[in-house]
Amino acid sequence: FQAVPAEVQRMRQASTTQVYEHHASGSDRSVEVAIQYMRTHYQEDLSLEKVASIVYLNPVYFSQLFKQKTGQGFKEFVINLRLEQAKQLLQNPKMKLAEVAERIGYQDMRHFSQVFKKKYGVTPSEFRQEATGDKADTLLSRD
């Protein structure tokens, strides 16, 4: 009988740990689902509130959880995701810059250019020229 209180205490702690681990794995899954959603819908409106609602979490809690799990803020992640897509689209010289901006979720071409330049140090036009110039140099050096 003397061991019962200690055993009850041990069982209580074990059950608390299991609940925490369940929530931790659930929150990891929520962030994974959110990232997957953002990768497939990056060209749409990706507000914190909208993405948090997709994974059924409070936006403030989701924002903190997202930063904790990814090391990046939500907005920073969205910008980086969109700009990486822009770099791919800019490889096509036939696509207009305004079309690239629109395809990655920016309605304002000037805002897109500002964000791009802040991140990479060159405008989208300059990036395109460097990218196509580098390809030409590579092709010439092969001959």
Side-chain angles (χ1 to χ4, degrees):
F1 287 114
Q2 291 174 344
V4 170
E7 184 62 19
V8 169
Q9 183 65 23
R10 188 195 65 73
M11 290 169 68
R12 185 177 287 158
Q13 286 177 334
S15 68
T16 303
T17 303
Q18 284 179 329
V19 168
Y20 175 77
E21 287 171 358
H22 172 73
H23 284 299
S25 64
S27 65
D28 284 346
R29 184 76 183 121
S30 295
V31 171
E32 288 173 26
V33 168
I35 288 172
Q36 187 62 38
Y37 177 83
M38 290 187 293
R39 286 195 171 129
T40 56
H41 295 88
Y42 63 87
Q43 68 280 13
E44 299 170 16
D45 172 40
L46 284 180
S47 68
L48 175 67
E49 290 75 16
K50 181 173 185 173
V51 177
S53 73
I54 297 293
V55 292
Y56 305 103
L57 292 175
N58 172 291
V60 174
Y61 174 70
F62 174 70
S63 176
Q64 294 169 343
L65 185 66
F66 191 87
K67 176 127 182 156
Q68 179 186 4
K69 300 294 179 192
T70 65
Q72 289 184 311
F74 176 81
K75 189 175 181 180
E76 179 186 2
F77 184 89
V78 171
I79 289 169
N80 288 338
L81 177 63
R82 286 178 170 166
L83 293 183
E84 284 300 315
Q85 295 299 323
K87 283 174 33 179
Q88 297 299 314
L89 294 173
L90 287 168
Q91 302 290 324
N92 178 357
K94 293 180 179 155
M95 190 177 288
K96 294 180 181 178
L97 294 178
E99 189 180 350
V100 170
E102 193 175 306
R103 282 208 183 169
I104 63 163
Y106 286 94
Q107 303 311 314
D108 181 5
M109 173 62 196
R110 286 177 35 218
H111 179 63
F112 163 63
S113 290
Q114 290 171 339
V115 172
F116 193 94
K117 183 164 184 163
K118 184 177 180 185
K119 170 85 174 156
Y120 298 115
V122 292
T123 65
S125 300
E126 292 167 341
F127 176 85
R128 175 178 273 169
Q129 288 171 348
E130 288 176 14
T132 55
D134 288 346
K135 285 183 181 174
D137 292 344
T138 303
L139 291 173
L140 291 174
S141 66
R142 287 185 186 167
D143 294 336

Coordinates of all heavy atoms in Angstrom, one line a residue, residues 49-139:
E49 N -3.9 34.2 -41.5 CA -5.2 33.7 -41.1 C -5.8 32.6 -41.9 O -6.3 31.6 -41.4 CB -6.2 34.9 -41.1 CG -6.0 35.9 -40.0 CD -4.8 36.9 -40.3 OE1 -4.3 36.9 -41.5 OE2 -4.3 37.5 -39.4
K50 N -5.6 32.7 -43.2 CA -6.1 31.7 -44.1 C -5.4 30.4 -44.0 O -6.0 29.3 -43.8 CB -6.0 32.2 -45.6 CG -6.5 31.1 -46.6 CD -6.6 31.7 -48.0 CE -7.2 30.7 -48.9 NZ -7.4 31.2 -50.2
V51 N -4.1 30.4 -43.9 CA -3.3 29.2 -43.8 C -3.5 28.6 -42.4 O -3.7 27.3 -42.3 CB -1.8 29.4 -44.0 CG1 -1.0 28.2 -43.8 CG2 -1.6 29.9 -45.5
A52 N -3.6 29.4 -41.4 CA -3.9 28.8 -40.0 C -5.3 28.1 -40.0 O -5.4 27.1 -39.4 CB -3.9 30.0 -39.0
S53 N -6.2 28.7 -40.7 CA -7.6 28.1 -40.7 C -7.5 26.7 -41.5 O -8.3 25.8 -41.1 CB -8.6 29.0 -41.4 OG -8.4 29.1 -42.8
I54 N -6.6 26.6 -42.4 CA -6.5 25.3 -43.2 C -6.1 24.2 -42.2 O -6.5 23.1 -42.4 CB -5.4 25.4 -44.3 CG1 -5.9 26.5 -45.3 CG2 -5.2 24.1 -45.0 CD1 -7.1 26.2 -46.2
V55 N -5.3 24.5 -41.2 CA -4.8 23.5 -40.3 C -5.5 23.6 -38.9 O -5.1 23.0 -37.9 CB -3.2 23.5 -40.1 CG1 -2.6 23.1 -41.4 CG2 -2.8 24.9 -39.7
Y56 N -6.6 24.4 -38.9 CA -7.5 24.5 -37.7 C -6.8 25.0 -36.5 O -6.9 24.4 -35.4 CB -8.2 23.1 -37.4 CG -8.9 22.6 -38.6 CD1 -8.4 21.6 -39.4 CD2 -10.1 23.1 -39.0 CE1 -9.1 21.1 -40.5 CE2 -10.8 22.6 -40.1 CZ -10.3 21.6 -40.8 OH -11.0 21.1 -41.9
L57 N -5.9 26.0 -36.7 CA -5.2 26.6 -35.5 C -5.5 28.1 -35.4 O -5.7 28.7 -36.5 CB -3.7 26.3 -35.7 CG -3.2 24.9 -35.5 CD1 -1.7 24.8 -35.8 CD2 -3.5 24.3 -34.2
N58 N -5.3 28.6 -34.2 CA -5.4 30.0 -34.0 C -4.2 30.7 -34.7 O -3.1 30.2 -34.6 CB -5.4 30.3 -32.5 CG -5.2 31.7 -32.1 OD1 -4.2 32.3 -32.4 ND2 -6.3 32.2 -31.6
P59 N -4.5 31.8 -35.4 CA -3.4 32.4 -36.2 C -2.2 32.8 -35.4 O -1.0 32.6 -35.8 CB -4.0 33.7 -36.8 CG -5.5 33.3 -36.9 CD -5.8 32.5 -35.7
V60 N -2.4 33.3 -34.2 CA -1.2 33.7 -33.3 C -0.4 32.5 -32.9 O 0.8 32.5 -33.0 CB -1.7 34.5 -32.1 CG1 -0.6 34.8 -31.1 CG2 -2.4 35.8 -32.5
Y61 N -1.1 31.4 -32.5 CA -0.5 30.2 -32.1 C 0.2 29.6 -33.3 O 1.4 29.2 -33.2 CB -1.5 29.2 -31.5 CG -0.9 27.9 -31.2 CD1 0.1 27.7 -30.2 CD2 -1.2 26.7 -32.0 CE1 0.6 26.5 -29.9 CE2 -0.6 25.5 -31.8 CZ 0.3 25.4 -30.7 OH 0.9 24.2 -30.5
F62 N -0.4 29.6 -34.5 CA 0.2 29.0 -35.7 C 1.4 29.8 -36.1 O 2.4 29.2 -36.4 CB -0.8 29.0 -36.8 CG -0.2 28.6 -38.1 CD1 0.1 27.3 -38.4 CD2 0.0 29.5 -39.1 CE1 0.7 26.9 -39.6 CE2 0.6 29.2 -40.3 CZ 0.9 27.8 -40.6
S63 N 1.4 31.1 -36.0 CA 2.6 31.9 -36.3 C 3.8 31.5 -35.4 O 4.9 31.4 -35.9 CB 2.2 33.4 -36.1 OG 3.3 34.2 -36.4
Q64 N 3.5 31.4 -34.1 CA 4.6 31.1 -33.2 C 5.1 29.7 -33.5 O 6.3 29.4 -33.5 CB 4.1 31.2 -31.8 CG 3.8 32.6 -31.3 CD 3.0 32.6 -30.0 OE1 2.5 31.6 -29.5 NE2 3.0 33.8 -29.4
L65 N 4.2 28.7 -33.7 CA 4.5 27.3 -34.0 C 5.3 27.2 -35.3 O 6.3 26.6 -35.4 CB 3.3 26.5 -34.1 CG 3.4 25.0 -34.3 CD1 4.0 24.4 -33.0 CD2 2.0 24.4 -34.5
F66 N 4.9 28.0 -36.3 CA 5.6 28.0 -37.6 C 7.0 28.4 -37.5 O 7.9 27.8 -38.0 CB 4.8 28.9 -38.6 CG 5.3 28.7 -40.0 CD1 4.7 27.7 -40.8 CD2 6.2 29.5 -40.5 CE1 5.2 27.6 -42.1 CE2 6.7 29.4 -41.8 CZ 6.1 28.4 -42.6
K67 N 7.2 29.5 -36.8 CA 8.6 30.1 -36.6 C 9.4 29.1 -35.8 O 10.6 28.9 -36.1 CB 8.5 31.4 -35.8 CG 9.9 32.0 -35.5 CD 10.0 33.4 -36.0 CE 11.4 33.9 -35.7 NZ 11.8 34.9 -36.6
Q68 N 8.8 28.5 -34.8 CA 9.6 27.5 -33.9 C 10.0 26.3 -34.8 O 11.1 25.8 -34.6 CB 8.7 27.1 -32.8 CG 9.3 26.1 -31.9 CD 8.3 25.6 -30.8 OE1 7.1 25.9 -30.8 NE2 8.8 24.7 -29.9
K69 N 9.1 25.8 -35.6 CA 9.4 24.6 -36.4 C 10.3 24.8 -37.6 O 11.0 24.0 -38.0 CB 8.1 23.9 -36.8 CG 7.2 23.5 -35.7 CD 7.8 22.4 -34.9 CE 6.9 22.1 -33.7 NZ 7.5 21.2 -32.7
T70 N 10.2 26.0 -38.3 CA 10.9 26.3 -39.5 C 12.1 27.2 -39.3 O 12.9 27.3 -40.2 CB 10.0 26.9 -40.6 OG1 9.6 28.2 -40.1 CG2 8.8 26.0 -40.9
G71 N 12.1 28.0 -38.3 CA 13.1 29.0 -38.1 C 12.9 30.2 -38.8 O 13.7 31.2 -38.8
Q72 N 11.8 30.3 -39.6 CA 11.5 31.5 -40.3 C 10.1 32.0 -39.9 O 9.2 31.2 -39.6 CB 11.4 31.2 -41.8 CG 12.6 30.9 -42.5 CD 12.4 30.7 -44.0 OE1 11.5 29.9 -44.4 NE2 13.2 31.4 -44.9
G73 N 9.9 33.3 -40.1 CA 8.5 33.8 -39.9 C 7.7 33.4 -41.0 O 8.1 33.1 -42.1
F74 N 6.3 33.4 -40.8 CA 5.4 33.0 -41.9 C 5.6 33.9 -43.1 O 5.7 33.4 -44.2 CB 4.0 33.1 -41.3 CG 2.9 32.8 -42.4 CD1 2.6 31.5 -42.7 CD2 2.3 33.9 -43.1 CE1 1.6 31.3 -43.7 CE2 1.3 33.6 -44.0 CZ 1.0 32.3 -44.3
K75 N 5.6 35.2 -43.0 CA 5.6 36.1 -44.1 C 7.0 35.9 -44.8 O 7.0 35.9 -46.1 CB 5.5 37.6 -43.6 CG 5.4 38.6 -44.7 CD 5.1 39.9 -44.1 CE 5.0 41.0 -45.2 NZ 4.7 42.3 -44.6
E76 N 8.1 35.8 -44.1 CA 9.4 35.6 -44.7 C 9.4 34.3 -45.5 O 9.9 34.2 -46.7 CB 10.4 35.5 -43.6 CG 11.8 35.2 -44.0 CD 12.8 35.0 -42.9 OE1 12.4 35.0 -41.7 OE2 14.0 34.8 -43.1
F77 N 8.8 33.2 -45.0 CA 8.7 32.0 -45.7 C 7.9 32.1 -47.0 O 8.4 31.6 -48.1 CB 8.0 30.9 -44.8 CG 8.0 29.5 -45.5 CD1 9.0 28.6 -45.3 CD2 6.9 29.1 -46.3 CE1 9.0 27.4 -45.9 CE2 6.9 27.9 -46.9 CZ 7.9 27.0 -46.6
V78 N 6.8 32.8 -47.0 CA 6.0 33.0 -48.2 C 6.8 33.8 -49.3 O 6.8 33.4 -50.4 CB 4.6 33.7 -47.9 CG1 3.9 34.1 -49.1 CG2 3.8 32.8 -47.0
I79 N 7.4 34.9 -48.8 CA 8.2 35.7 -49.8 C 9.3 34.8 -50.4 O 9.5 34.8 -51.6 CB 8.8 36.9 -49.0 CG1 7.7 37.9 -48.7 CG2 9.9 37.6 -49.9 CD1 8.1 39.0 -47.8
N80 N 10.1 34.1 -49.6 CA 11.1 33.2 -50.1 C 10.6 32.2 -51.1 O 11.2 31.9 -52.1 CB 11.9 32.6 -49.0 CG 12.8 33.5 -48.2 OD1 13.1 34.6 -48.7 ND2 13.1 33.2 -47.0
L81 N 9.5 31.6 -50.8 CA 8.8 30.6 -51.6 C 8.5 31.2 -53.0 O 8.8 30.7 -54.0 CB 7.6 30.0 -50.9 CG 6.8 29.0 -51.7 CD1 7.6 27.8 -52.0 CD2 5.5 28.7 -50.9
R82 N 7.9 32.4 -52.9 CA 7.4 33.0 -54.2 C 8.6 33.5 -55.0 O 8.6 33.3 -56.2 CB 6.6 34.2 -53.8 CG 5.2 33.8 -53.4 CD 4.3 35.0 -53.0 NE 3.0 34.6 -52.8 CZ 2.0 35.3 -52.3 NH1 2.3 36.6 -51.8 NH2 0.8 34.9 -52.1
L83 N 9.7 34.0 -54.3 CA 10.8 34.5 -55.1 C 11.6 33.3 -55.7 O 12.2 33.5 -56.8 CB 11.7 35.4 -54.2 CG 11.1 36.7 -53.8 CD1 12.1 37.5 -53.0 CD2 10.6 37.5 -55.0
E84 N 11.6 32.2 -55.1 CA 12.3 31.0 -55.7 C 11.6 30.6 -56.9 O 12.2 30.2 -58.0 CB 12.4 29.9 -54.7 CG 13.4 30.0 -53.6 CD 14.8 30.2 -54.2 OE1 15.2 29.4 -55.1 OE2 15.6 31.0 -53.7
Q85 N 10.2 30.7 -56.9 CA 9.4 30.4 -58.1 C 9.7 31.4 -59.2 O 9.8 31.1 -60.4 CB 7.9 30.3 -57.7 CG 7.6 29.2 -56.8 CD 7.8 27.8 -57.3 OE1 7.7 27.6 -58.5 NE2 8.3 26.9 -56.5
A86 N 9.8 32.7 -58.8 CA 10.1 33.7 -59.7 C 11.4 33.5 -60.5 O 11.5 33.7 -61.7 CB 10.1 35.1 -59.0
K87 N 12.4 33.1 -59.7 CA 13.7 32.8 -60.4 C 13.6 31.7 -61.5 O 14.2 31.8 -62.5 CB 14.7 32.4 -59.3 CG 15.3 33.5 -58.5 CD 16.2 33.2 -57.4 CE 17.1 32.0 -57.5 NZ 17.9 31.8 -56.3
Q88 N 12.7 30.7 -61.2 CA 12.5 29.7 -62.2 C 11.8 30.3 -63.4 O 12.2 30.0 -64.6 CB 11.7 28.5 -61.6 CG 12.4 27.8 -60.5 CD 13.7 27.2 -60.9 OE1 13.7 26.5 -61.9 NE2 14.7 27.3 -60.1
L89 N 10.8 31.1 -63.2 CA 10.0 31.6 -64.3 C 10.8 32.6 -65.1 O 10.6 32.8 -66.3 CB 8.7 32.3 -63.7 CG 7.7 31.3 -63.1 CD1 6.6 32.1 -62.5 CD2 7.1 30.4 -64.1
L90 N 11.7 33.3 -64.4 CA 12.5 34.3 -65.1 C 13.5 33.7 -66.1 O 14.1 34.4 -67.0 CB 13.3 35.2 -64.1 CG 12.4 36.2 -63.4 CD1 13.2 36.8 -62.2 CD2 11.9 37.3 -64.3
Q91 N 13.7 32.4 -66.0 CA 14.6 31.7 -67.0 C 14.0 31.7 -68.4 O 14.7 31.5 -69.4 CB 14.8 30.2 -66.5 CG 15.4 30.1 -65.2 CD 16.8 30.5 -65.0 OE1 17.6 30.3 -66.0 NE2 17.2 31.1 -63.9
N92 N 12.7 31.9 -68.5 CA 12.0 32.0 -69.7 C 12.0 33.4 -70.2 O 11.2 34.2 -69.8 CB 10.5 31.4 -69.6 CG 9.8 31.5 -70.9 OD1 10.2 32.0 -71.9 ND2 8.5 31.0 -70.8
P93 N 12.8 33.7 -71.2 CA 12.9 35.1 -71.7 C 11.6 35.6 -72.4 O 11.4 36.8 -72.5 CB 14.1 35.1 -72.7 CG 14.2 33.7 -73.1 CD 13.7 32.9 -71.9
K94 N 10.8 34.7 -72.8 CA 9.5 35.1 -73.5 C 8.4 35.6 -72.5 O 7.5 36.3 -72.9 CB 9.0 34.0 -74.4 CG 9.9 33.7 -75.5 CD 9.4 32.5 -76.4 CE 10.4 32.3 -77.5 NZ 10.3 30.9 -78.0
M95 N 8.6 35.2 -71.3 CA 7.5 35.6 -70.3 C 7.8 37.0 -69.8 O 8.9 37.3 -69.4 CB 7.6 34.6 -69.1 CG 6.4 34.8 -68.2 SD 6.4 33.6 -66.8 CE 6.0 32.1 -67.7
K96 N 6.8 37.8 -69.8 CA 6.9 39.2 -69.4 C 7.0 39.3 -67.9 O 6.5 38.4 -67.2 CB 5.6 40.0 -69.8 CG 5.5 40.2 -71.3 CD 4.3 41.0 -71.7 CE 4.2 41.1 -73.2 NZ 3.0 41.8 -73.6
L97 N 7.7 40.3 -67.4 CA 7.9 40.4 -66.0 C 6.6 40.6 -65.2 O 6.5 40.0 -64.1 CB 8.9 41.6 -65.7 CG 10.3 41.5 -66.2 CD1 11.1 42.8 -65.9 CD2 11.0 40.3 -65.6
A98 N 5.7 41.3 -65.8 CA 4.4 41.4 -65.1 C 3.7 40.1 -65.0 O 3.0 39.8 -64.0 CB 3.5 42.4 -65.9
E99 N 3.9 39.2 -66.0 CA 3.3 37.9 -66.0 C 3.9 37.0 -64.9 O 3.2 36.3 -64.2 CB 3.4 37.2 -67.3 CG 2.6 36.0 -67.5 CD 2.8 35.3 -68.8 OE1 3.3 36.0 -69.8 OE2 2.4 34.2 -69.0
V100 N 5.2 37.2 -64.8 CA 6.0 36.4 -63.7 C 5.4 36.9 -62.3 O 5.1 36.1 -61.5 CB 7.5 36.7 -63.8 CG1 8.2 36.1 -62.6 CG2 8.1 36.1 -65.1
A101 N 5.3 38.2 -62.1 CA 4.9 38.7 -60.9 C 3.5 38.2 -60.5 O 3.2 37.7 -59.4 CB 4.8 40.3 -60.9
E102 N 2.6 38.2 -61.5 CA 1.2 37.8 -61.3 C 1.2 36.3 -61.0 O 0.4 35.8 -60.1 CB 0.4 38.1 -62.6 CG -1.1 37.9 -62.3 CD -1.9 38.3 -63.6 OE1 -1.7 39.5 -64.0 OE2 -2.7 37.5 -64.0
R103 N 2.0 35.5 -61.7 CA 2.0 34.0 -61.5 C 2.4 33.6 -60.1 O 2.1 32.5 -59.7 CB 2.8 33.4 -62.5 CG 2.2 33.2 -63.9 CD 2.7 32.0 -64.6 NE 2.1 31.9 -65.9 CZ 2.5 31.1 -66.8 NH1 3.6 30.3 -66.5 NH2 2.0 31.0 -68.0
I104 N 3.2 34.5 -59.5 CA 3.7 34.1 -58.1 C 2.9 34.8 -57.0 O 3.3 34.7 -55.9 CB 5.2 34.3 -58.0 CG1 5.6 35.8 -58.1 CG2 6.0 33.5 -58.9 CD1 6.9 36.2 -57.6
G105 N 1.9 35.5 -57.4 CA 1.0 36.1 -56.4 C 1.2 37.6 -56.1 O 0.6 38.1 -55.1
Y106 N 1.9 38.3 -56.9 CA 2.1 39.7 -56.8 C 1.3 40.4 -57.9 O 1.6 40.2 -59.1 CB 3.5 40.2 -56.9 CG 4.4 39.8 -55.7 CD1 5.1 38.6 -55.7 CD2 4.4 40.7 -54.6 CE1 5.9 38.3 -54.5 CE2 5.2 40.3 -53.5 CZ 5.9 39.1 -53.5 OH 6.7 38.8 -52.4
Q107 N 0.3 41.2 -57.5 CA -0.5 42.0 -58.4 C 0.2 43.2 -58.9 O 0.0 43.7 -60.0 CB -1.9 42.3 -57.9 CG -2.7 41.1 -57.4 CD -2.8 40.0 -58.4 OE1 -3.0 40.2 -59.5 NE2 -2.5 38.8 -57.9
D108 N 1.1 43.8 -58.0 CA 1.8 45.0 -58.3 C 3.2 44.7 -58.8 O 4.0 44.2 -58.0 CB 1.8 45.9 -57.1 CG 2.5 47.2 -57.3 OD1 2.9 47.5 -58.4 OD2 2.6 48.0 -56.3
M109 N 3.5 45.0 -60.0 CA 4.8 44.7 -60.6 C 5.9 45.4 -59.9 O 7.0 44.9 -59.6 CB 4.8 45.1 -62.1 CG 6.1 45.0 -62.8 SD 6.8 43.4 -62.8 CE 8.4 43.8 -63.3
R110 N 5.7 46.7 -59.5 CA 6.7 47.5 -58.8 C 7.0 46.9 -57.4 O 8.2 46.8 -57.0 CB 6.3 48.9 -58.7 CG 6.4 49.6 -60.0 CD 6.0 51.1 -60.1 NE 6.2 51.9 -59.0 CZ 5.3 52.8 -58.6 NH1 4.2 53.0 -59.2 NH2 5.6 53.6 -57.6
H111 N 6.0 46.4 -56.7 CA 6.2 45.8 -55.4 C 7.1 44.5 -55.6 O 8.0 44.3 -54.8 CB 4.9 45.5 -54.7 CG 5.0 44.9 -53.4 ND1 5.7 45.5 -52.3 CD2 4.7 43.7 -52.9 CE1 5.7 44.7 -51.3 NE2 5.1 43.6 -51.6
F112 N 6.7 43.7 -56.6 CA 7.5 42.5 -56.8 C 8.9 42.8 -57.1 O 9.8 42.2 -56.5 CB 6.9 41.8 -58.0 CG 7.8 40.8 -58.7 CD1 8.2 39.7 -58.0 CD2 8.2 40.9 -60.0 CE1 9.0 38.7 -58.5 CE2 9.1 40.0 -60.6 CZ 9.5 38.9 -59.8
S113 N 9.2 43.8 -57.9 CA 10.6 44.2 -58.2 C 11.3 44.7 -57.0 O 12.5 44.3 -56.8 CB 10.6 45.4 -59.3 OG 10.2 44.9 -60.5
Q114 N 10.7 45.4 -56.1 CA 11.3 45.9 -54.9 C 11.7 44.7 -54.0 O 12.8 44.7 -53.4 CB 10.4 46.9 -54.1 CG 10.2 48.2 -54.8 CD 9.1 49.1 -54.1 OE1 8.3 48.5 -53.5 NE2 9.2 50.4 -54.4
V115 N 10.7 43.8 -53.8 CA 11.0 42.7 -52.9 C 12.1 41.8 -53.5 O 13.0 41.3 -52.8 CB 9.6 41.8 -52.7 CG1 9.9 40.5 -52.0 CG2 8.6 42.7 -52.0
F116 N 12.1 41.6 -54.8 CA 13.1 40.8 -55.5 C 14.5 41.4 -55.3 O 15.4 40.7 -54.9 CB 12.7 40.6 -57.0 CG 13.5 39.6 -57.7 CD1 13.0 38.3 -57.8 CD2 14.8 39.8 -58.2 CE1 13.7 37.3 -58.5 CE2 15.5 38.9 -58.9 CZ 15.0 37.6 -59.0
K117 N 14.5 42.7 -55.5 CA 15.8 43.4 -55.4 C 16.3 43.4 -54.0 O 17.5 43.2 -53.7 CB 15.8 44.8 -55.9 CG 17.1 45.5 -55.9 CD 17.2 46.8 -56.7 CE 18.6 47.3 -56.6 NZ 18.9 48.2 -57.7
K118 N 15.4 43.5 -53.0 CA 15.8 43.5 -51.6 C 16.4 42.1 -51.2 O 17.4 42.1 -50.5 CB 14.6 43.8 -50.7 CG 15.0 43.9 -49.2 CD 13.7 44.2 -48.4 CE 14.1 44.3 -46.9 NZ 12.9 44.5 -46.1
K119 N 15.8 41.1 -51.8 CA 16.3 39.7 -51.5 C 17.6 39.3 -52.2 O 18.5 38.8 -51.6 CB 15.2 38.7 -51.8 CG 15.6 37.3 -51.8 CD 15.5 36.7 -50.4 CE 15.7 35.2 -50.5 NZ 16.2 34.7 -49.2
Y120 N 17.7 39.7 -53.5 CA 18.8 39.2 -54.3 C 19.8 40.2 -54.7 O 20.8 39.9 -55.3 CB 18.3 38.5 -55.6 CG 17.4 37.2 -55.2 CD1 16.1 37.2 -55.5 CD2 18.0 36.1 -54.6 CE1 15.3 36.1 -55.2 CE2 17.3 35.0 -54.2 CZ 15.9 35.0 -54.5 OH 15.2 33.9 -54.2
G121 N 19.5 41.5 -54.5 CA 20.4 42.6 -54.8 C 20.4 43.0 -56.3 O 21.2 43.9 -56.7
V122 N 19.5 42.4 -57.1 CA 19.3 42.8 -58.5 C 17.8 42.8 -58.8 O 17.1 42.1 -58.1 CB 20.0 41.8 -59.5 CG1 21.5 41.9 -59.4 CG2 19.5 40.4 -59.3
T123 N 17.5 43.6 -59.8 CA 16.1 43.6 -60.2 C 15.7 42.3 -61.0 O 16.7 41.6 -61.4 CB 15.7 44.8 -61.1 OG1 16.5 44.6 -62.3 CG2 16.1 46.1 -60.4
P124 N 14.5 42.0 -61.1 CA 14.1 40.8 -61.9 C 14.7 40.9 -63.4 O 15.2 39.9 -63.9 CB 12.6 40.8 -62.0 CG 12.2 41.5 -60.7 CD 13.3 42.5 -60.5
S125 N 14.7 42.1 -64.0 CA 15.3 42.2 -65.3 C 16.7 41.9 -65.3 O 17.3 41.2 -66.2 CB 15.1 43.6 -65.8 OG 13.7 44.0 -65.9
E126 N 17.5 42.5 -64.3 CA 18.9 42.2 -64.2 C 19.2 40.7 -64.0 O 20.1 40.2 -64.6 CB 19.5 43.1 -63.1 CG 19.5 44.6 -63.4 CD 19.8 45.4 -62.2 OE1 19.7 44.9 -61.0 OE2 20.2 46.6 -62.3
F127 N 18.4 40.1 -63.1 CA 18.5 38.7 -62.9 C 18.4 37.9 -64.2 O 19.2 37.0 -64.5 CB 17.5 38.2 -61.8 CG 17.6 36.7 -61.6 CD1 18.5 36.2 -60.7 CD2 16.8 35.8 -62.3 CE1 18.6 34.8 -60.5 CE2 16.8 34.5 -62.1 CZ 17.7 34.0 -61.2
R128 N 17.4 38.2 -64.9 CA 17.1 37.5 -66.2 C 18.3 37.7 -67.2 O 18.7 36.8 -67.8 CB 15.8 38.1 -66.8 CG 15.5 37.5 -68.2 CD 14.3 38.0 -68.8 NE 13.2 37.1 -68.3 CZ 11.9 37.4 -68.4 NH1 11.5 38.5 -69.0 NH2 11.0 36.5 -68.0
Q129 N 18.8 38.9 -67.2 CA 19.9 39.2 -68.1 C 21.1 38.4 -67.7 O 21.8 37.8 -68.6 CB 20.3 40.7 -68.2 CG 19.2 41.5 -68.9 CD 19.5 43.0 -68.7 OE1 20.2 43.4 -67.9 NE2 18.8 43.8 -69.5
E130 N 21.4 38.4 -66.4 CA 22.5 37.6 -65.9 C 22.3 36.1 -66.2 O 23.3 35.4 -66.6 CB 22.7 37.8 -64.4 CG 23.2 39.2 -64.0 CD 23.3 39.4 -62.5 OE1 23.2 38.4 -61.8 OE2 23.5 40.6 -62.1
A131 N 21.1 35.6 -66.0 CA 20.8 34.2 -66.1 C 21.0 33.8 -67.6 O 21.6 32.8 -67.9 CB 19.4 33.9 -65.6
T132 N 20.4 34.6 -68.5 CA 20.5 34.3 -69.9 C 22.0 34.5 -70.4 O 22.4 33.8 -71.3 CB 19.5 35.0 -70.8 OG1 19.7 36.4 -70.5 CG2 18.1 34.6 -70.5
G133 N 22.6 35.5 -69.9 CA 24.0 35.8 -70.2 C 24.9 34.6 -69.8 O 25.8 34.2 -70.5
D134 N 24.7 34.1 -68.6 CA 25.5 33.0 -68.0 C 25.3 31.8 -68.9 O 26.2 31.0 -69.2 CB 25.1 32.7 -66.6 CG 25.6 33.7 -65.6 OD1 26.4 34.5 -66.0 OD2 25.1 33.7 -64.5
K135 N 24.1 31.5 -69.4 CA 23.8 30.4 -70.2 C 24.6 30.5 -71.6 O 25.1 29.6 -72.0 CB 22.3 30.2 -70.5 CG 21.6 29.7 -69.3 CD 20.1 29.5 -69.7 CE 19.3 29.0 -68.5 NZ 17.9 28.9 -68.7
A136 N 24.5 31.7 -72.1 CA 25.3 32.0 -73.4 C 26.7 31.8 -73.2 O 27.4 31.1 -74.0 CB 25.0 33.4 -73.8
D137 N 27.3 32.3 -72.1 CA 28.7 32.1 -71.8 C 29.1 30.6 -71.7 O 30.1 30.1 -72.2 CB 29.2 32.8 -70.5 CG 29.1 34.3 -70.7 OD1 29.0 34.8 -71.8 OD2 29.1 35.0 -69.6
T138 N 28.2 29.8 -71.0 CA 28.4 28.4 -70.8 C 28.4 27.7 -72.1 O 29.2 26.8 -72.4 CB 27.3 27.8 -69.9 OG1 27.3 28.5 -68.6 CG2 27.5 26.4 -69.6
L139 N 27.4 28.1 -73.0 CA 27.3 27.4 -74.3 C 28.6 27.8 -75.1 O 29.1 26.9 -75.8 CB 26.0 27.9 -75.0 CG 24.7 27.4 -74.4 CD1 23.5 28.1 -75.1 CD2 24.6 25.9 -74.5

